[in-house]
């Protein structure tokens, strides 16, 4: 089992999709983040409760069509970045 | 304070107090015809005071005080008192304004639509706005664009245009001498001369405008234009804002709608005439 993360509920965020990037306004911190795929999707997957990178990939595969090769490592790296900016935290 | 001047510029009321007569006289002259703050109540106060009591007479130097102050702001010589007053008004806005999202940008308007120009100091946004203001556009401001988060409209803030160095000669060649303040040499930004906005800018000061085009000008390069995507525009405008963080979510909402709905272009220009032609072409394209 990898590191399990949780995120604030979607109501804590305002997401605006622009051209190549997405903006996230995080209400609890008042901070604006500029992110790209798959960050908004990862945060969406955490709406259903805490999960580690592997479980998030399983949830993502239910809704999105992508090659799962290397996906767990990529999602784990994004989760670490999201933790650093305060959008997810370890349970 | 011994001398006092109250003025409303766009939606913002100021009270400037001074220990000396000269800066207030210069303000009265250049802001002649501007209204008083609504209900006589100023939003911000600026105080021009001697650093120490005896410095009112002896090598007088003007310290800028007010509702908001910077602890390490260096005082200016009395000859630059007008600049001190203008800097003080800027400072109050930059640190204290919470009703509008402030963007460090110049704005001109035509047919009810606003052109927003933002860039680093020296990019030419001020000169360009002043020049366009004499050529069929309404000058709305050269320092701060006031974006109303509730409506998405830009409000005019037509303070004196602060012309610097080469821009001074360019504008004195076009405009009657009685609209200029004194030439201030050796300021922290070089030579500065203030220009009074024209009658059209003053009479329409209370009319906001909907933004139609955002330009990021850069002076001193061969003429060129490239589209600026919404996310790049968002980043550049947050950097150009003095109160984005303090305003919180309303600022996020207003700015994200602005960059999503309004096209952005980065323009390079070798001289102001080339810039005017380029602006006119991009404006026609944006409104087509």
């Amino acid at each position: 089992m990898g590191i399990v993360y949780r995120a604030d509920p979607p109501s804590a965020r305002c997401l605006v999709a622009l051209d190549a990037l997405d903006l996230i306004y995080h209400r609890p911190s008042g901070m604006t983040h500029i992110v790209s795929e798959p960050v908004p999707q990862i945060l969406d997957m955490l709406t259903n409760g805490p999960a580690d990178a592997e479980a998030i990939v399983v949830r993502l595969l239910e809704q999105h069509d992508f090659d799962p090769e290397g996906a767990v490592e990529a999602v784990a790296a994004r989760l670490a970045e999201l933790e650093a900016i305060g959008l997810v935290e370890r349970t | 304070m011994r001398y006092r001047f109250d003025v409303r510029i766009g939606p913002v009321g100021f009270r400037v107090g001074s220990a000396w007569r000269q800066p207030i006289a210069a303000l009265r002259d250049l802001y002649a015809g501007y209204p008083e703050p609504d209900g006589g109540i100023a939003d911000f106060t600026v105080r021009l005071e001697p650093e120490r009591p005896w410095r009112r007479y002896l090598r007088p130097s003007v310290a800028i005080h007010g509702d908001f102050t910077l602890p390490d702001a260096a005082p200016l010589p009395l000859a630059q008192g007008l600049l001190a007053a203008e800097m003080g008004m800027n400072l109050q806005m930059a640190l204290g304004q919470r009703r509008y999202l402030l963007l460090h940008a110049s704005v001109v308007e035509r047919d009810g639509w606003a052109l927003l120009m933002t860039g680093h100091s020296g990019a030419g946004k001020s000169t360009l706005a002043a020049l366009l203001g004499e050529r069929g556009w309404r000058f709305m401001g050269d320092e701060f664009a006031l974006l109303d988060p509730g409506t998405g409209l830009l409000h005019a803030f037509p303070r004196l245009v602060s012309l610097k160095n080469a821009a001074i000669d360019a504008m004195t060649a076009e405009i009657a001498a009685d609209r200029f303040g004194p030439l201030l040499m050796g300021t922290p930004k070089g030579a500065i001369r203030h220009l009074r906005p024209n009658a059209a800018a003053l009479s329409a000061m209370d009319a906001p405008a909907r933004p139609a085009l955002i330009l990021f000008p850069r002076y001193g390069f061969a003429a060129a234009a490239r589209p600026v995507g919404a996310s790049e525009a968002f980043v550049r405008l947050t950097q150009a804002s003095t109160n984005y963080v303090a305003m919180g979510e309303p600022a996020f909402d207003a700015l994200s709608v602005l960059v999503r709905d309004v096209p952005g272009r980065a323009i390079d220009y070798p001289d102001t005439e080339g810039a005017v032609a380029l602006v006119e072409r991009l404006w026609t394209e944006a409104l087509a």
Side-chain angles (χ1 to χ4, degrees):
Chain A
M1 183 105 175
I3 302 163
V4 177
Y5 293 94
R6 63 172 289 280
D8 289 314
S11 61
R13 297 184 294 273
C14 178
L15 186 117
V16 176
L18 294 179
D19 40 18
L21 300 168
D22 297 303
L23 306 175
I24 294 175
Y25 183 80
H26 185 230
R27 293 188 172 107
S29 65
M31 284 178 73
T32 302
H33 303 281
I34 299 163
V35 300
S36 62
E37 285 187 0
V39 164
Q41 291 77 10
I42 291 174
L43 290 171
D44 275 351
M45 295 305 112
L46 288 171
T47 306
N48 299 332
D52 66 358
E54 206 173 324
I56 287 172
V57 169
V58 170
R59 292 178 190 179
L60 282 167
L61 279 166
E62 289 168 5
Q63 295 182 24
H64 302 275
D65 186 23
F66 63 93
D67 181 2
E69 174 84 31
V72 172
E73 291 75 17
V75 167
R78 299 293 84 74
L79 284 165
E81 292 163 5
L82 286 169
E83 184 187 18
I85 61 174
L87 286 179
V88 302
E89 60 188 22
R90 298 175 191 222
T91 54
Chain B
M1 302 289 304
R2 202 175 164 100
Y3 302 96
R4 205 180 91 186
F5 177 61
D6 290 1
V7 67
R8 179 168 67 79
I9 303 168
V12 187
F14 292 95
R15 166 165 294 180
V16 184
S18 169
W20 302 273
R21 190 187 60 80
Q22 298 95 312
I24 298 299
L27 287 173
R28 276 192 203 292
D29 189 29
L30 287 164
Y31 282 111
Y34 277 67
E36 296 224 332
D38 287 339
I41 298 167
D43 298 280
F44 298 111
T45 303
V46 177
R47 296 194 310 276
L48 306 177
E49 298 171 306
E51 261 185 301
R52 301 275 180 277
W54 59 86
R55 290 297 289 271
R56 187 167 158 227
Y57 305 101
L58 184 69
R59 285 183 290 116
S61 76
V62 185
I64 304 169
H65 296 142
D67 304 317
F68 302 89
T69 54
L70 288 179
D72 54 353
L76 292 167
L78 179 56
Q80 296 171 14
L82 174 61
L83 177 64
E86 288 286 307
M87 285 171 68
M89 287 151 87
N90 274 348
L91 188 66
Q92 302 313 307
M93 284 289 280
L95 299 180
Q97 179 57 248
R98 293 290 181 272
R99 186 168 148 207
Y100 301 98
L101 179 65
L102 279 194
L103 301 169
H104 190 221
S106 65
V107 188
V108 291
E109 173 265 344
R110 198 157 70 185
D111 304 324
W113 295 95
L115 164 63
L116 188 69
M117 294 179 280
T118 183
H120 295 295
S121 189
K125 61 185 186 310
S126 195
T127 314
L128 257 178
L131 202 60
L132 290 168
E134 303 301 317
R135 299 197 180 172
W137 297 72
R138 170 172 59 115
F139 173 83
M140 291 180 72
D142 81 319
E143 184 74 26
F144 289 125
L146 277 53
L147 181 64
D148 186 332
T151 62
L153 295 174
L154 288 168
H155 286 257
F157 187 59
R159 276 186 37 249
L160 304 180
V161 184
S162 166
L163 298 169
K164 297 175 194 84
N165 304 312
I168 298 173
D169 288 340
M171 297 305 289
T172 45
E174 290 230 357
I175 296 170
D178 62 0
R179 282 179 46 206
F180 290 92
L183 179 63
L184 308 173
M185 302 296 289
T187 80
K189 289 186 172 182
I192 286 186
R193 197 162 185 192
H194 291 97
L195 168 69
R196 177 187 158 84
N198 60 22
L202 179 54
S203 65
M205 184 169 82
D206 295 328
R210 191 158 293 285
L213 179 64
I214 306 167
L215 292 182
F216 300 90
R218 205 166 57 138
Y219 168 70
F221 298 87
R226 71 167 175 88
V228 173
S231 44
E232 183 187 341
F234 184 88
V235 172
R236 291 175 75 156
L237 289 172
T238 51
Q239 289 168 346
S241 174
T242 59
N243 65 353
Y244 173 81
V245 173
M247 293 267 294
E249 192 165 358
F252 173 84
D253 293 339
L255 204 56
S256 52
V257 168
L258 178 74
V259 299
R260 196 191 61 204
D261 293 352
V262 180
R265 299 280 182 275
I267 60 168
D268 289 351
Y269 64 99
D271 53 56
T272 45
E273 290 306 321
V276 170
L278 193 54
V279 167
E280 291 288 354
R281 179 168 70 76
L282 294 171
W283 182 254
T284 306
E285 287 172 13
L287 265 65

